[in-house]
Amino acid sequence: MDNEHLRDLQLCEYEILKVLDDICKKENLQYYLAAGTLLGAVRHHGFIPWDDDVDVIMPVDDFIKFNEVAKKHLGDQYFLQTSKTDPDYGYLFTKIRKNGTTLMSPWERNNPGHHGVWVDIFPIIPINNKMDYYVKKTTVRFSNFLCMNDVLFNYNYEYLVKRSNPILMKAIAIMRKTPADARKRLHLKIQKALLKSNPKASSVGIIWTNITLVVPKHLFDGKPEMLTFETQKFPVMPEYDEFLTRQYGDYMTPPPENQRNGGHGMIIVDLEKELW
């Protein structure tokens, strides 16, 4: 993606982020900038110049409420994408997509569903101990696979085999023979089980496509900091330095030029056209 198109994409995503921020203020919901978006706010006061998406995280209770109330605020210009609102979407996290646009990563090209430009909203869930982490990590991956349509599953099969253990792959193969509506019901039950708060947990995990980051819960204790991202301030967790260090190490040193890419291989079909 050339720099001109990348900047146009970033500005479109920034527009969605401001919509999300407005909803959270109206509904008194907490969220934080995360991942490359948080890093961009700290290091660049805006987008990392080569980043191609926006990520935020929400405490699980706020995440559940957001999914319940956001639709009434979005109107016709945006689409709240969850496994309930889009039958071809199988992830446990939520996206706000802009209607009338099309953006996708290469592996999504054969996947039906809404493909508008998006902002990702990831739930923060309690992690009680190491065993709880491994169980939830495996459960998230299995639940994501449940809702993959056949075309997408087959397209990614070799990748999935490399990334998953044999027992999980065997379970997935069995589930593929189960009718899609039954898989969907199981997916929603798993989602309900995972999205439970536990004030006593000392650690939290973030559900991306998997649970790849677990941090102490105290990083979120206290009043959020407000950092500038592009043209306005957004909330970040109080201990954002430790959060970024755990995720990236020496995060203030940019990577070598040959590693400066968004990492998602985005394909802009049209920032002014809908294709789904």
Side-chain angles (χ1 to χ4, degrees):
M1 186 184 302
D2 60 56
N3 290 336
E4 180 182 355
H5 285 105
L6 176 58
R7 187 55 181 165
D8 287 342
L9 171 61
Q10 290 175 343
L11 293 176
C12 188
E13 293 167 339
Y14 181 54
E15 171 193 314
I16 302 172
L17 175 61
K18 289 189 289 184
V19 170
L20 181 151
D21 179 72
D22 186 58
I23 293 172
C24 290
K25 286 175 179 174
K26 289 177 179 177
E27 296 288 347
N28 194 30
L29 300 175
Q30 185 61 63
Y31 78 94
Y32 310 93
L33 302 185
T37 309
L38 172 60
L39 177 54
V42 174
R43 196 170 69 195
H44 304 273
H45 309 298
F47 280 93
I48 298 172
W50 52 91
D51 199 10
D52 56 12
D53 74 340
V54 168
D55 298 322
V56 307
I57 56 179
M58 279 188 186
V60 64
D61 290 339
D62 295 273
F63 176 81
I64 292 171
K65 184 176 179 182
F66 182 87
N67 286 344
E68 293 172 348
V69 303
K71 189 176 180 180
K72 70 181 182 182
H73 295 285
L74 292 175
D76 297 331
Q77 193 172 359
Y78 302 97
F79 176 70
L80 183 73
Q81 188 177 39
T82 70
S83 53
K84 290 184 178 180
T85 64
D86 186 340
D88 294 301
Y89 183 76
Y91 292 120
L92 294 167
F93 56 89
T94 293
K95 294 177 183 282
I96 296 179
R97 296 205 185 242
K98 185 175 181 180
N99 291 328
T101 64
T102 306
L103 174 73
M104 62 187 76
S105 53
W107 62 270
E108 291 181 303
R109 299 184 75 171
N110 296 316
N111 187 34
H114 199 302
H115 287 297
V117 176
W118 73 84
V119 164
D120 285 319
I121 307 164
F122 303 101
I124 305 169
I125 66 170
I127 300 293
N128 298 315
N129 49 50
K130 185 174 289 188
M131 179 59 69
D132 187 43
Y133 162 68
Y134 285 114
V135 169
K136 287 181 176 177
K137 178 180 179 180
T138 302
T139 304
V140 168
R141 181 175 291 176
F142 178 64
S143 192
N144 288 339
F145 292 163
L146 281 176
C147 286
M148 279 188 178
N149 65 76
D150 293 333
V151 173
L152 183 59
F153 182 83
N154 292 333
Y155 179 81
N156 285 283
Y157 186 77
E158 291 184 5
Y159 169 80
L160 300 178
V161 170
K162 292 178 182 178
R163 296 293 298 271
S164 302
N165 63 61
I167 295 176
L168 179 59
M169 287 306 300
K170 187 172 182 179
I172 292 166
I174 294 172
M175 289 307 302
R176 297 305 300 171
K177 300 176 182 179
T178 304
D181 59 339
R183 297 203 310 268
K184 189 76 171 183
R185 288 195 298 271
L186 179 56
H187 170 83
L188 292 174
K189 286 183 179 180
I190 291 173
Q191 183 179 46
K192 186 176 181 180
L194 282 169
L195 298 182
K196 288 185 177 180
S197 60
N198 179 1
K200 295 182 180 180
S202 60
S203 299
V204 293
I206 300 163
I207 296 182
W208 319 96
T209 52
N210 201 340
I211 303 176
T212 55
L213 182 64
V214 177
V215 298
K217 185 180 176 182
H218 71 76
L219 300 190
F220 298 90
D221 290 345
K223 186 177 180 180
E225 297 280 340
M226 299 297 292
L227 296 183
T228 298
F229 184 82
E230 297 294 329
T231 61
Q232 73 179 60
K233 292 183 181 292
F234 296 90
V236 304
M237 65 287 297
E239 300 295 333
Y240 64 84
D241 174 70
E242 183 176 346
F243 185 93
L244 286 171
T245 300
R246 285 173 175 269
Q247 188 169 13
Y248 298 112
D250 177 17
Y251 62 86
M252 290 302 290
T253 302
E257 287 194 24
N258 62 356
Q259 297 178 21
R260 296 179 184 181
N261 59 75
H264 298 87
M266 297 298 186
I267 300 169
I268 293 181
V269 179
D270 200 327
L271 289 178
E272 299 180 353
K273 185 178 180 181
E274 190 169 7
L275 181 66
W276 69 294

